[in-house]
Amino acid sequence: MDAEAGLAEPETAGELSGPQPAAALTVAEDIRGFLRRVGQATIKEIIAHVGNSRPWIGPRNVGPELSRLIAYGDIVRERTGLYRPAAREQECDAG
C-alpha cells in the first residue's frame, strides 16, 4: 500500500503545483488588481477577465463580488455597468 501512496503523491503534487497565478488570489483580489491596471472597466470586461484567469468561475459569481467590493469601499460604480478602483486604492498605488 505504501508503494501506491508513493505513486499518488507526485501526481497530486504536480496537479497542485501547476502554473495558475490567479488561483492564489481570491476573485475579489483579482478584480481589484484588474481595475487598478486598467483604471475602469465594464462588467462585461470584468467578467471576461475573471473568466480568462479563472475558467471555473461563472459570470453569476462576479456580480456578488462586485457588490461586496463596493460595500467595502474598494471599488466605485461610476454608472450602471462601469466600475473603477476607489480613490484610496489609486492613492496606494501612487505612493
Side-chain angles (χ1 to χ4, degrees):
M1 227 178 210
D2 290 329
E4 290 176 18
L7 292 176
E9 286 179 32
E11 292 173 6
T12 303
E15 290 173 3
L16 295 176
S17 65
Q20 293 184 347
L25 300 174
T26 66
V27 174
E29 291 169 335
D30 196 12
I31 292 170
R32 277 195 305 262
F34 174 67
L35 288 174
R36 280 193 303 265
R37 281 192 310 279
V38 299
Q40 69 178 19
T42 65
I43 190 161
K44 288 182 181 182
E45 292 168 332
I46 295 168
I47 289 170
H49 168 76
V50 171
N52 286 336
S53 63
R54 301 161 178 274
W56 60 92
I57 301 290
R60 291 183 180 197
N61 299 97
V62 174
E65 288 299 326
L66 290 172
S67 295
R68 272 195 277 300
L69 289 168
I70 291 166
Y72 294 150
D74 291 339
I75 67 172
V76 174
R77 182 183 294 129
E78 287 289 313
R79 63 180 183 342
T80 302
L82 184 65
Y83 301 86
R84 67 168 175 81
R88 67 185 173 113
E89 285 281 320
Q90 293 172 340
E91 290 169 8
C92 289
D93 289 342

